[in-house]
Amino acid sequence: MMKRLTTRDIFALGFMTFALFVGAGNIIFPPMVGIQSGEHVWVSAVGFLITAVGLPVATVIALARVGGGVDSLSTPVGKAAGIVLAMVCYLAVGPLFATPRTATVSFDVGIGPLVGENSQALAIYSAIYFCLVIVISLFPGKLLDTVGHFLAPVKIVALAILGIAALMWPAGNNLPATEVYQHAAFSNGFVNGYLTMDTLGALVFGIVIVNAARSRGIENPQLLTRYTVFAGLIAGVGLTLVYLSLFKLGSDSGSLISQSANGAAILHAYVQHTFGAGGSLFLGVLIFIACMVTAIGLTCACAEFFAQYIPLSYKTLVVILGVFAMIISNLGLTHLIAISVPVLTAIYPPCIVLVLLSFTLNWWQEAGRIIKPAMAVSLVFGIIDGLKASDFSSVVPASLQHLPLSEQNLSWLPPVLVVIIVAAIIDRMKGKAVSVKTTQ
């Protein structure tokens, strides 16, 4: 008899997927967009939801269809290019940016208000934090139990309390939108969705979700795909509800704090205002659990991936990745965000192109003819946008500073669409590639 997941396990898988996604960036960026976008908050929210919910869910579904990770999804671009892309994604959402950020955000929210700017306190906190991450990550087969059945429900309850509070007890009225949101509310929300790293995270978490289902004895490819899609949809609904409540929280907090404040400060101001002295403790516990779950998922995924290409065991890699992320986290949140923004701006476009075009494989005679040039062009223009968002903006020629959609950091979109159209015409003209076998 074919092994199937129980309804309880399906929801646990969905809750686990949701919990893996909701980390540092998911909680701190929506309030920032909310407070800065003012009267345009819901226009910005639509753009944000496309990149922070729509694309991650689409990525999980795309990975479920190929039954593997990003290296399987990138087969049309060739093995070498696919492995390079996978490594970049895993490093970005692993030890370089996302995993260290989980520690710095949870520190800034929970411990920072008590000790202020204190590098020694951050060092001690990050050491304890990553010891816990390493210990739990050493046993990936237990993820559905530790995360899906325990940590995820706690996290969901805490987020529900915060979301309901934001709807029922708004702190005040919104302020007029800042200048950038006056002119481009939708596109600024769209680009801010990059910063959650959820699409890159989905490329990484896809294999973790599949393996969690396999840990319950599910081996049938169709069932694995179905359960992974269910998990992605459950996570998508949860993310949407969280983001909408956090947009509302931010937009109503203009009377409490400056519009230039970061998301952690906005959340802290709101819970202090709404929950009083206990607010800080509540928020600290919420952020700690949210960040811890994400860090565990990222560490497991990265270790499983690199174990395929490096002659080191999974457990050894867990320890190495955890220690490396701990060291990077001591740079502090401000430096991490400053470094990550241009990098994410550069690498997100080819990942978006890969995910979306993976749903069109049956449209083409040879999918590689369309996906390869489209990803190459998106990467070139993504790098240009990344440079413009960095301290090296002066090296970008003036002719590239004012491309269509350049102000919205979407200058890669028009040339990619043109390349897809041209490549599709060429693909149709060439037809299917025929391999000729010679006989002796």
Side-chain angles (χ1 to χ4, degrees), residues 203-215:
L203 288 169
V204 170
F205 289 143
I207 193 65
V208 176
I209 300 164
V210 171
N211 287 343
R214 284 185 177 137
S215 73

Side-chain angles (χ1 to χ4, degrees), residues 283-301:
L283 184 63
V285 172
L286 166 60
I287 300 294
F288 176 81
I289 294 173
C291 291
M292 176 66 65
V293 171
T294 302
I296 292 166
L298 290 171
T299 303
C300 289

Side-chain angles (χ1 to χ4, degrees), residues 244-281:
L244 291 176
S245 65
L246 290 177
F247 283 126
K248 182 81 167 64
L249 182 154
S251 68
D252 292 339
S253 298
S255 60
L256 301 180
I257 197 166
S258 166
Q259 279 183 300
S260 61
N262 65 43
I266 296 168
L267 284 167
H268 187 264
Y270 176 80
V271 296
Q272 280 269 335
H273 170 82
T274 305
F275 297 106
S280 295
L281 177 61

